[in-house]
Amino acid sequence: MSATKSAQKLIVGNWKMNGLLADGEARTEELVEAIKARKSFLFDMVLCPPATLIGVLTSLGGSSLVKWGGQDCHAKESGAFTGDISAAMLQDLGCTYVILGHSERRQNHKESSATVQEKAKAAHAAGLIAIICVGETDAERTAGKANDIVSEQLAASIPAGATAANTVVAYEPVWAIGTGKTASADDILNMHQHIRGKVGDLAILYGGSVKGSNAAEILKTPNVDGVLVGGASLKVEEFLTIATAA
Ligand code: 13P
């Protein structure tokens, strides 16, 4: 499995802490049927359900048409870490990706970029592609510090062994997540250009209130290799509209 940048846009759905078994199964089956019905498509789709659902969903018929990811993993391989999940456990269930350093983890679980880097190393060791999230807060952007904050997060979160085959970067401005406020076309253009200068050929996703109505414009922005979608990935029609805008 490789994340090497291609013409195909990477469309990642982060379900966050949403959905019980029946919801997850119904959503996956509907998505898989809709993808099957298309003769060709120009996207790679990754679904990141709650960890409780991954094992069941990856073994559903047709689920090989999408790829699977976890929403976090622990930095250690195993041990006395109650409630945590290792990268190998995700891989064992059929995941090829894991989201790391999401702003909700950085804020709610006080995860530092150093921790994110340790987790990314663990993900790589288990053969997973790490989707490393970065992004500034509203206050940081207003203070004119967005580029510096993102540079610092990139430098401290991405491990030395990162390549385009094992690491994807996701730019998610914190103020755009779940707020309905999308970064402007210019903000996305400028930040993705800035990130490109730091990460070379790693794929760069945009995330933050991506919807069916703004996906085409975001996806055609230079240096946007795909999108990381929260709320809109829970609605099959909306998520497919985003994917097919690619
Ligand atoms: P929303 O698409 O709901 O704004 O969430 C974005 C996000 O956090 C994806 O990881």
Side-chain angles (χ1 to χ4, degrees), residues 138-163:
D138 204 6
E140 288 161 347
R141 174 159 285 269
T142 307
K145 293 187 191 151
N147 284 14
D148 288 347
I149 293 290
V150 167
S151 298
E152 280 166 26
Q153 289 176 340
L154 290 170
S157 306
I158 300 178
T163 67

PDB file of all heavy atoms in Angstrom, residues 138-163:
ATOM      1  N   ASP A 138      -7.978  30.127  15.359  1.00  0.00           N
ATOM      2  CA  ASP A 138      -8.470  31.425  14.905  1.00  0.00           C
ATOM      3  C   ASP A 138      -7.561  32.545  15.412  1.00  0.00           C
ATOM      4  O   ASP A 138      -7.154  33.438  14.660  1.00  0.00           O
ATOM      5  CB  ASP A 138      -9.892  31.601  15.481  1.00  0.00           C
ATOM      6  CG  ASP A 138     -10.717  32.560  14.664  1.00  0.00           C
ATOM      7  OD1 ASP A 138     -10.242  32.995  13.597  1.00  0.00           O
ATOM      8  OD2 ASP A 138     -11.848  32.866  15.103  1.00  0.00           O
ATOM      9  N   ALA A 139      -7.207  32.458  16.707  1.00  0.00           N
ATOM     10  CA  ALA A 139      -6.384  33.518  17.318  1.00  0.00           C
ATOM     11  C   ALA A 139      -5.010  33.572  16.657  1.00  0.00           C
ATOM     12  O   ALA A 139      -4.464  34.660  16.408  1.00  0.00           O
ATOM     13  CB  ALA A 139      -6.239  33.262  18.815  1.00  0.00           C
ATOM     14  N   GLU A 140      -4.469  32.401  16.351  1.00  0.00           N
ATOM     15  CA  GLU A 140      -3.144  32.360  15.707  1.00  0.00           C
ATOM     16  C   GLU A 140      -3.198  32.954  14.300  1.00  0.00           C
ATOM     17  O   GLU A 140      -2.293  33.684  13.884  1.00  0.00           O
ATOM     18  CB  GLU A 140      -2.625  30.911  15.676  1.00  0.00           C
ATOM     19  CG  GLU A 140      -2.207  30.412  17.062  1.00  0.00           C
ATOM     20  CD  GLU A 140      -2.121  28.899  17.193  1.00  0.00           C
ATOM     21  OE1 GLU A 140      -2.612  28.170  16.309  1.00  0.00           O
ATOM     22  OE2 GLU A 140      -1.571  28.449  18.218  1.00  0.00           O
ATOM     23  N   ARG A 141      -4.283  32.678  13.586  1.00  0.00           N
ATOM     24  CA  ARG A 141      -4.407  33.259  12.234  1.00  0.00           C
ATOM     25  C   ARG A 141      -4.561  34.773  12.339  1.00  0.00           C
ATOM     26  O   ARG A 141      -3.910  35.520  11.609  1.00  0.00           O
ATOM     27  CB  ARG A 141      -5.592  32.633  11.481  1.00  0.00           C
ATOM     28  CG  ARG A 141      -5.847  33.293  10.131  1.00  0.00           C
ATOM     29  CD  ARG A 141      -6.626  32.409   9.181  1.00  0.00           C
ATOM     30  NE  ARG A 141      -5.815  31.342   8.617  1.00  0.00           N
ATOM     31  CZ  ARG A 141      -5.122  31.433   7.479  1.00  0.00           C
ATOM     32  NH1 ARG A 141      -5.127  32.547   6.782  1.00  0.00           N
ATOM     33  NH2 ARG A 141      -4.412  30.416   7.043  1.00  0.00           N
ATOM     34  N   THR A 142      -5.421  35.217  13.261  1.00  0.00           N
ATOM     35  CA  THR A 142      -5.641  36.656  13.406  1.00  0.00           C
ATOM     36  C   THR A 142      -4.342  37.375  13.758  1.00  0.00           C
ATOM     37  O   THR A 142      -4.094  38.497  13.322  1.00  0.00           O
ATOM     38  CB  THR A 142      -6.707  36.915  14.505  1.00  0.00           C
ATOM     39  OG1 THR A 142      -7.854  36.140  14.169  1.00  0.00           O
ATOM     40  CG2 THR A 142      -7.103  38.372  14.591  1.00  0.00           C
ATOM     41  N   ALA A 143      -3.498  36.680  14.535  1.00  0.00           N
ATOM     42  CA  ALA A 143      -2.216  37.297  14.933  1.00  0.00           C
ATOM     43  C   ALA A 143      -1.161  37.182  13.826  1.00  0.00           C
ATOM     44  O   ALA A 143       0.002  37.550  14.038  1.00  0.00           O
ATOM     45  CB  ALA A 143      -1.718  36.626  16.212  1.00  0.00           C
ATOM     46  N   GLY A 144      -1.554  36.653  12.679  1.00  0.00           N
ATOM     47  CA  GLY A 144      -0.617  36.552  11.553  1.00  0.00           C
ATOM     48  C   GLY A 144       0.410  35.440  11.705  1.00  0.00           C
ATOM     49  O   GLY A 144       1.460  35.455  11.056  1.00  0.00           O
ATOM     50  N   LYS A 145       0.077  34.455  12.591  1.00  0.00           N
ATOM     51  CA  LYS A 145       1.076  33.405  12.880  1.00  0.00           C
ATOM     52  C   LYS A 145       0.767  32.066  12.215  1.00  0.00           C
ATOM     53  O   LYS A 145       1.403  31.055  12.547  1.00  0.00           O
ATOM     54  CB  LYS A 145       1.116  33.165  14.394  1.00  0.00           C
ATOM     55  CG  LYS A 145       1.644  34.320  15.206  1.00  0.00           C
ATOM     56  CD  LYS A 145       1.777  33.833  16.648  1.00  0.00           C
ATOM     57  CE  LYS A 145       2.050  34.953  17.616  1.00  0.00           C
ATOM     58  NZ  LYS A 145       1.523  34.645  18.951  1.00  0.00           N
ATOM     59  N   ALA A 146      -0.215  32.033  11.316  1.00  0.00           N
ATOM     60  CA  ALA A 146      -0.657  30.739  10.771  1.00  0.00           C
ATOM     61  C   ALA A 146       0.495  29.960  10.141  1.00  0.00           C
ATOM     62  O   ALA A 146       0.696  28.777  10.447  1.00  0.00           O
ATOM     63  CB  ALA A 146      -1.788  30.950   9.763  1.00  0.00           C
ATOM     64  N   ASN A 147       1.274  30.615   9.278  1.00  0.00           N
ATOM     65  CA  ASN A 147       2.356  29.881   8.597  1.00  0.00           C
ATOM     66  C   ASN A 147       3.394  29.362   9.583  1.00  0.00           C
ATOM     67  O   ASN A 147       3.877  28.235   9.446  1.00  0.00           O
ATOM     68  CB  ASN A 147       3.044  30.775   7.555  1.00  0.00           C
ATOM     69  CG  ASN A 147       2.203  30.929   6.304  1.00  0.00           C
ATOM     70  OD1 ASN A 147       1.019  30.589   6.291  1.00  0.00           O
ATOM     71  ND2 ASN A 147       2.805  31.450   5.250  1.00  0.00           N
ATOM     72  N   ASP A 148       3.731  30.192  10.583  1.00  0.00           N
ATOM     73  CA  ASP A 148       4.752  29.774  11.551  1.00  0.00           C
ATOM     74  C   ASP A 148       4.266  28.586  12.378  1.00  0.00           C
ATOM     75  O   ASP A 148       5.020  27.649  12.641  1.00  0.00           O
ATOM     76  CB  ASP A 148       5.101  30.929  12.503  1.00  0.00           C
ATOM     77  CG  ASP A 148       5.895  32.009  11.789  1.00  0.00           C
ATOM     78  OD1 ASP A 148       6.373  31.734  10.661  1.00  0.00           O
ATOM     79  OD2 ASP A 148       6.032  33.118  12.348  1.00  0.00           O
ATOM     80  N   ILE A 149       3.008  28.651  12.818  1.00  0.00           N
ATOM     81  CA  ILE A 149       2.455  27.557  13.633  1.00  0.00           C
ATOM     82  C   ILE A 149       2.465  26.258  12.837  1.00  0.00           C
ATOM     83  O   ILE A 149       2.891  25.207  13.330  1.00  0.00           O
ATOM     84  CB  ILE A 149       1.000  27.899  14.074  1.00  0.00           C
ATOM     85  CG1 ILE A 149       1.001  29.089  15.040  1.00  0.00           C
ATOM     86  CG2 ILE A 149       0.288  26.685  14.666  1.00  0.00           C
ATOM     87  CD1 ILE A 149       1.575  28.821  16.400  1.00  0.00           C
ATOM     88  N   VAL A 150       2.018  26.337  11.598  1.00  0.00           N
ATOM     89  CA  VAL A 150       1.962  25.132  10.765  1.00  0.00           C
ATOM     90  C   VAL A 150       3.381  24.617  10.499  1.00  0.00           C
ATOM     91  O   VAL A 150       3.628  23.406  10.562  1.00  0.00           O
ATOM     92  CB  VAL A 150       1.166  25.413   9.464  1.00  0.00           C
ATOM     93  CG1 VAL A 150       1.360  24.305   8.438  1.00  0.00           C
ATOM     94  CG2 VAL A 150      -0.319  25.574   9.798  1.00  0.00           C
ATOM     95  N   SER A 151       4.318  25.521  10.253  1.00  0.00           N
ATOM     96  CA  SER A 151       5.720  25.089  10.050  1.00  0.00           C
ATOM     97  C   SER A 151       6.238  24.341  11.269  1.00  0.00           C
ATOM     98  O   SER A 151       6.869  23.289  11.149  1.00  0.00           O
ATOM     99  CB  SER A 151       6.639  26.297   9.834  1.00  0.00           C
ATOM    100  OG  SER A 151       6.272  26.992   8.695  1.00  0.00           O
ATOM    101  N   GLU A 152       5.958  24.903  12.451  1.00  0.00           N
ATOM    102  CA  GLU A 152       6.438  24.268  13.702  1.00  0.00           C
ATOM    103  C   GLU A 152       5.803  22.888  13.870  1.00  0.00           C
ATOM    104  O   GLU A 152       6.477  21.922  14.235  1.00  0.00           O
ATOM    105  CB  GLU A 152       6.033  25.105  14.924  1.00  0.00           C
ATOM    106  CG  GLU A 152       6.925  26.305  15.180  1.00  0.00           C
ATOM    107  CD  GLU A 152       6.276  27.272  16.186  1.00  0.00           C
ATOM    108  OE1 GLU A 152       5.443  26.836  17.021  1.00  0.00           O
ATOM    109  OE2 GLU A 152       6.610  28.479  16.110  1.00  0.00           O
ATOM    110  N   GLN A 153       4.502  22.812  13.610  1.00  0.00           N
ATOM    111  CA  GLN A 153       3.815  21.521  13.779  1.00  0.00           C
ATOM    112  C   GLN A 153       4.361  20.482  12.798  1.00  0.00           C
ATOM    113  O   GLN A 153       4.568  19.328  13.166  1.00  0.00           O
ATOM    114  CB  GLN A 153       2.303  21.688  13.572  1.00  0.00           C
ATOM    115  CG  GLN A 153       1.624  22.454  14.703  1.00  0.00           C
ATOM    116  CD  GLN A 153       0.143  22.683  14.436  1.00  0.00           C
ATOM    117  OE1 GLN A 153      -0.317  22.615  13.293  1.00  0.00           O
ATOM    118  NE2 GLN A 153      -0.608  22.978  15.480  1.00  0.00           N
ATOM    119  N   LEU A 154       4.609  20.899  11.571  1.00  0.00           N
ATOM    120  CA  LEU A 154       5.148  19.966  10.567  1.00  0.00           C
ATOM    121  C   LEU A 154       6.522  19.473  11.001  1.00  0.00           C
ATOM    122  O   LEU A 154       6.798  18.269  10.992  1.00  0.00           O
ATOM    123  CB  LEU A 154       5.261  20.660   9.201  1.00  0.00           C
ATOM    124  CG  LEU A 154       3.953  20.987   8.480  1.00  0.00           C
ATOM    125  CD1 LEU A 154       4.229  21.888   7.275  1.00  0.00           C
ATOM    126  CD2 LEU A 154       3.236  19.718   8.024  1.00  0.00           C
ATOM    127  N   ALA A 155       7.374  20.410  11.396  1.00  0.00           N
ATOM    128  CA  ALA A 155       8.756  20.045  11.738  1.00  0.00           C
ATOM    129  C   ALA A 155       8.785  19.086  12.926  1.00  0.00           C
ATOM    130  O   ALA A 155       9.595  18.156  12.968  1.00  0.00           O
ATOM    131  CB  ALA A 155       9.562  21.297  12.042  1.00  0.00           C
ATOM    132  N   ALA A 156       7.886  19.318  13.894  1.00  0.00           N
ATOM    133  CA  ALA A 156       7.932  18.508  15.118  1.00  0.00           C
ATOM    134  C   ALA A 156       7.094  17.233  15.042  1.00  0.00           C
ATOM    135  O   ALA A 156       7.293  16.308  15.831  1.00  0.00           O
ATOM    136  CB  ALA A 156       7.464  19.354  16.302  1.00  0.00           C
ATOM    137  N   SER A 157       6.168  17.158  14.090  1.00  0.00           N
ATOM    138  CA  SER A 157       5.257  15.996  14.038  1.00  0.00           C
ATOM    139  C   SER A 157       5.678  14.931  13.041  1.00  0.00           C
ATOM    140  O   SER A 157       5.333  13.758  13.196  1.00  0.00           O
ATOM    141  CB  SER A 157       3.836  16.437  13.653  1.00  0.00           C
ATOM    142  OG  SER A 157       3.356  17.455  14.487  1.00  0.00           O
ATOM    143  N   ILE A 158       6.370  15.334  11.979  1.00  0.00           N
ATOM    144  CA  ILE A 158       6.700  14.371  10.914  1.00  0.00           C
ATOM    145  C   ILE A 158       8.029  13.698  11.243  1.00  0.00           C
ATOM    146  O   ILE A 158       9.044  14.372  11.416  1.00  0.00           O
ATOM    147  CB  ILE A 158       6.774  15.081   9.542  1.00  0.00           C
ATOM    148  CG1 ILE A 158       5.429  15.739   9.216  1.00  0.00           C
ATOM    149  CG2 ILE A 158       7.169  14.095   8.446  1.00  0.00           C
ATOM    150  CD1 ILE A 158       5.406  16.511   7.898  1.00  0.00           C
ATOM    151  N   PRO A 159       8.047  12.370  11.349  1.00  0.00           N
ATOM    152  CA  PRO A 159       9.300  11.697  11.714  1.00  0.00           C
ATOM    153  C   PRO A 159      10.295  11.657  10.546  1.00  0.00           C
ATOM    154  O   PRO A 159       9.906  11.825   9.390  1.00  0.00           O
ATOM    155  CB  PRO A 159       8.850  10.280  12.079  1.00  0.00           C
ATOM    156  CG  PRO A 159       7.569  10.081  11.379  1.00  0.00           C
ATOM    157  CD  PRO A 159       6.937  11.425  11.177  1.00  0.00           C
ATOM    158  N   ALA A 160      11.536  11.389  10.889  1.00  0.00           N
ATOM    159  CA  ALA A 160      12.605  11.411   9.892  1.00  0.00           C
ATOM    160  C   ALA A 160      12.352  10.434   8.742  1.00  0.00           C
ATOM    161  O   ALA A 160      12.671  10.728   7.605  1.00  0.00           O
ATOM    162  CB  ALA A 160      13.934  11.084  10.569  1.00  0.00           C
ATOM    163  N   GLY A 161      11.756   9.286   9.042  1.00  0.00           N
ATOM    164  CA  GLY A 161      11.582   8.281   7.989  1.00  0.00           C
ATOM    165  C   GLY A 161      10.374   8.507   7.084  1.00  0.00           C
ATOM    166  O   GLY A 161       9.991   7.616   6.333  1.00  0.00           O
ATOM    167  N   ALA A 162       9.776   9.681   7.156  1.00  0.00           N
ATOM    168  CA  ALA A 162       8.551   9.904   6.375  1.00  0.00           C
ATOM    169  C   ALA A 162       8.859  10.023   4.886  1.00  0.00           C
ATOM    170  O   ALA A 162       9.806  10.707   4.493  1.00  0.00           O
ATOM    171  CB  ALA A 162       7.858  11.171   6.860  1.00  0.00           C
ATOM    172  N   THR A 163       8.055   9.335   4.084  1.00  0.00           N
ATOM    173  CA  THR A 163       8.158   9.444   2.624  1.00  0.00           C
ATOM    174  C   THR A 163       6.747   9.595   2.088  1.00  0.00           C
ATOM    175  O   THR A 163       5.762   9.402   2.824  1.00  0.00           O
ATOM    176  CB  THR A 163       8.748   8.168   2.001  1.00  0.00           C
ATOM    177  OG1 THR A 163       7.800   7.101   2.198  1.00  0.00           O
ATOM    178  CG2 THR A 163      10.083   7.786   2.627  1.00  0.00           C
TER     179      THR A 163
END
